[in-house]
Amino acid sequence: MPVQGATVGGEKKVPTSVTETSRVGEDHIIVNAHLERARSALQSSTGATTYNFSRKNIEKIPGGDNAPLTAVLLQAPSVAQDSYGQIHIRGDHNEVQFRLDGVALPEGVSVFGQTLMTRFAHSMSLTTGALPSEYGFLQAGVIDINTKNGFSDSGGNISIYGGARDYFMPSAQYGGHKGKWDWFGTGDFVHNRIGIENTTPHFNALHDLSNQYHFLGHVRYTADADTRVSLTTGVANAEYQLPNNPGLQRQFANPSFLESSFSQRLYGNVDSSSLNEHQKEITDFGILSLQKELGKLSFQTSGVLRYSSLRYSPDPIGDLIYNGIAQRAARAVFSTGSQTDATWRVAPKHTVRFGYQAYVERNTSKTDANVYAQSEDGTNGQPSYSPIPVNIHDGSGRTGWVYGLYAQDEWKPVRNLTINYGLRFDGVDEYTHAKQVSPRINIVYRPWHGGAFHAGYSRYFTPPPFEAVSGVSLSKYRNTSASPAIFENTMAKAERDHYFDSGFSQTILPGWHASFDAYVKLAKNMIDEGQFGSPVILSVFNYRRGQVHGFEFATDYTHGPWNVYGNFAWSRAIGKNIVSGQWNFSADDFSYIQHRWIHLDHDQRWTASAGGSYTFFHQTGHPLLFSTTMVYGSGLRADGAVPNGASVPQYATFNLALVQSFKDLFHVSFLKQTQLRLDVTNLFDKTYMLRSGSGIGVGAPQYGLRRTILTGISQSF
């Protein structure tokens, strides 16, 4: 069961396995369990909806720790699948906040790469809805990963996983503790030919090799029962070939000079199926935290840094004649800052929380582009271009900062009623300059055992993603094959929202839970992102007005070896009037959107997921796990009679896993559990489309992964 009962208004569940280890150093185990509970209490989710993924839940997902993090998150309600490994939560484009042990990671520039891997997580949670005031900046969903550590995940494990399409993934992890210290480290290497979604419905993509490696290290020092210092570091490095799309027509090559012998020498017989485009993405991060208990006051203060970069290498000839521009592009963001969260238990009925986040960021962007210069002898009103390309260099850089302060009171005026109210003050001084005071209030009422009603309002402030903004010089591209239709580039603005949410949850029978939630977001300067050129780099723009509303239902049942869950969600996301990044749009699209509502490109009407698992021989030393998952989407948007006026066809995919475990298989004292696994993705080999190649900010067509069979073996010690 990947999703463990939605909760509203309660503290997040702490992994119980912090005490499920050997009795060596039992005092320190108890201390760390106490500190884990205290850290979890720093992040109240009162009034919001939280979906929990325990370690057992993660292990039952097809692929287990080898599965992409998005594959786990797609099992939660209102999480829609997109190309390039992106997900959309409750109709927002990409406003997803990732936290490690309660500490938020600044945004990075990676598009395809999964900086955070499933194997990093001991457990995790997804919190959505009208969020309390400690959550700022990115607020569509907060994914908090409780990292593995030397107490809950002591010992080692090595594994080899792979199969179809040259998939090869070795990995290793080791954790331990001694005295006041505990440590954990894990890493993997991924080689396959499914790095990016296929641009065709065929079984194999053209030019889709990927090599990646990931590492997470974690060390903690528990000074006493109330003090702990921790350091977490991570690295992600990935290289991708961009899949080719055969059968394209050359857009920027005049027949008159294509037929010349000079052109043949210059361009050759370039076919769109033989292009050679690459992208490289790097991310490094580090978090140093101090957690302290001082009587009624507890806090965690952290220093954070993150560096991420992206480099796109074009096909120097192919990009030019198919797109009119062959652009070598590089972006990088370096962020450093701090976060502090504190809880003060003032009285039995009042718990005050307060804190801040502040980050200084440096963004750099460089491009070198070859384009055709426009000739003066155009015919029939159509421009003509010189066959000799010219080079345009462009670059920009900016240093700025974002910050947020909050305070809130969790008040219990009467039995079974909790009111959480507070204020948040946010500001951004980067490419744009803006500030906002945001009131928030949530109410949770528990009228009977196992039942909870909640309602909330949150004022949101979302700065434009720093890494997706660049100061492009439009004048340099005038009268070239890369000339925009609109010479206007208003700077991206901060989004300001009114967010309303209400719902209820109920324990129907022991082990059986159900929940329903509905929400409305009214946005000013709604932020969206899109791919508007050959480099797969997202660019930000704003709709003057935006609306998102929907509802979701979820249920799960657990009994003995059985785990079953299911959920579905409906949403509608619309916007109108483009007020920034205008140069990215065609004149017709821009004119239409100015005075008319359109669906956002990532709007998907219906989203659902379901699954179940059964463990045979679960009371023996050789349990056999059988699990399945399903993901359904009614289809993201595509162009129709109007921009984003249609949708791609609906689809449903099924995945399967068989996992056989053995304890002491080799009868060697230091070898523990041996595990064999078989995973099948897209069991029925469904051909389905994620993107059609049309729509606002949509690049090439993208198809979902065809049937893929992977096997693995792992050994614990």
Side-chain angles (χ1 to χ4, degrees), residues 100 103-106 229-233 285-291 300-306 335-341 356-359:
L100 291 178
V103 183
L105 278 178
V229 180
S230 64
L231 174 65
T232 304
T233 59
F285 63 86
I287 301 171
L288 179 63
S289 299
L290 168 65
Q291 184 183 344
Q300 178 174 271
T301 184
S302 306
V304 184
L305 61 85
R306 174 173 180 168
S335 304
T336 182
S338 65
Q339 173 183 332
T340 295
D341 298 287
Y356 73 89
Q357 291 172 273
Y359 305 102

Side-chain angles (χ1 to χ4, degrees), residues 426-446:
D426 293 296
V428 56
D429 287 294
E430 294 178 334
Y431 286 101
T432 189
H433 308 276
K435 301 177 180 65
Q436 179 174 291
V437 175
S438 304
R440 302 187 186 182
I441 184 169
N442 285 280
I443 300 173
V444 178
Y445 177 55
R446 305 179 186 277

Side-chain angles (χ1 to χ4, degrees), residues 510-573:
W512 184 12
H513 310 274
S515 65
F516 176 84
D517 213 66
Y519 58 91
V520 175
K521 184 176 89 165
L522 305 176
K524 178 182 179 181
N525 298 327
M526 174 180 277
I527 293 172
D528 202 353
E529 300 175 31
Q531 179 200 344
F532 294 99
S534 184
V536 188
I537 299 176
L538 299 181
S539 298
V540 66
F541 63 95
N542 296 92
Y543 292 95
R544 170 65 71 186
R545 294 178 61 191
Q547 296 180 12
V548 183
H549 58 272
F551 63 84
E552 60 192 33
F553 171 82
T555 186
D556 64 272
Y557 176 72
T558 301
H559 179 73
W562 282 101
N563 292 282
V564 182
Y565 72 96
N567 60 73
F568 65 85
W570 179 92
S571 72
R572 183 172 182 261

Side-chain angles (χ1 to χ4, degrees), residues 69-91:
L69 191 62
T70 53
V72 181
L73 295 172
L74 284 172
Q75 305 309 311
S78 292
V79 181
Q81 179 182 14
D82 201 349
S83 57
Y84 303 149
Q86 298 179 92
I87 58 172
H88 307 294
I89 299 177
R90 288 193 170 188

Side-chain angles (χ1 to χ4, degrees), residues 162-168 190-196 198 200-206 208-210 680-682 685-686 704-710:
R165 301 182 184 86
D166 293 347
Y167 203 108
F168 176 64
V190 182
H191 169 91
N192 59 41
R193 296 189 180 275
I194 50 176
I196 305 173
N198 198 341
T200 73
H202 300 148
F203 195 81
N204 293 310
L206 296 172
D208 200 11
L209 181 68
S210 173
V680 184
T681 301
N682 195 353
D685 199 24
K686 170 74 173 179
L705 186 64
R706 298 283 296 274
R707 183 192 293 126
T708 301
I709 301 174
L710 301 172

